[in-house]
Amino acid sequence: MKMQAEVIREGELEKRSDSLFQLWKKKLVVLTKDSLSLFPDGHKRAKGKELGFGSILKVDCVERTGKYIYFTIVTKDRKEIDFRCPDQSCWNASITMALIDFQNKRAIQDFKSRQEMEQAAGSQERRLARAP
């Protein structure tokens, strides 16, 4: 059973469709410390799409017009997903900060794991050096 992640922010964003006409569609968005979930038609009842931060490379191409802020989420497989939000909502900043926090925590975990592996290898070498 999957535990519910703590919600950092919830609200509405517009996502550009992948179709030929590239229409903007409103999505209910739930931001947690690990992912960004998109729900069609503003309902969490429907099956949503989850973008885990492990698969996101960066938030890019921030552009501000009079009414909207446009930004792109770039995935590790180089897929680009375009969003826009009302100018004062700062969704791009919320997503960027959550992504940076996730990446920093992952980097610390990786560093600690490497240190533990190096220490274990070092103690094994010392034991082998003392063996007759």
Side-chain angles (χ1 to χ4, degrees):
M1 186 168 124
K2 189 176 178 180
M3 290 187 56
Q4 282 290 76
E6 180 183 340
V7 174
I8 296 171
R9 185 169 179 183
E10 185 174 324
E12 196 172 86
L13 265 179
E14 291 183 57
K15 178 186 171 290
R16 190 182 346 231
S17 68
D18 294 331
S19 70
L20 176 65
F21 298 110
Q22 295 188 333
L23 303 172
W24 290 99
K25 295 185 178 183
K26 291 184 180 185
K27 303 284 183 181
L28 173 64
V29 179
V30 178
L31 177 64
T32 68
K33 63 180 185 152
D34 298 317
S35 67
L36 183 69
S37 296
L38 308 167
F39 298 93
D41 305 322
H43 300 289
K44 281 202 258 187
R45 293 185 300 270
K47 176 81 172 129
K49 179 179 181 182
E50 182 177 39
L51 293 170
F53 285 148
S55 68
I56 296 175
L57 187 62
K58 62 183 175 176
V59 177
D60 202 9
C61 299
V62 177
E63 181 182 332
R64 178 173 272 120
T65 64
K67 188 176 179 183
Y68 293 106
I69 295 175
Y70 294 84
F71 61 98
T72 301
I73 291 179
V74 181
T75 63
K76 289 188 175 175
D77 60 358
R78 301 293 181 196
K79 182 178 178 189
E80 295 184 354
I81 307 166
D82 296 326
F83 293 94
R84 73 180 183 185
C85 58
D87 187 24
Q88 299 301 313
S89 72
C90 300
W91 265 103
N92 59 309
S94 297
I95 295 167
T96 300
M97 294 304 292
L99 177 62
I100 289 170
D101 188 48
F102 175 87
Q103 290 171 336
N104 284 343
K105 286 178 182 171
R106 177 159 288 171
I108 290 168
Q109 287 174 342
D110 291 348
F111 177 75
K112 286 180 179 178
S113 294
R114 274 195 312 276
Q115 271 189 326
E116 289 169 2
M117 286 174 41
E118 288 170 3
Q119 287 174 350
S123 65
Q124 185 177 8
E125 286 176 14
R126 284 191 295 277
R127 274 185 273 145
L128 291 174
R130 282 186 269 160

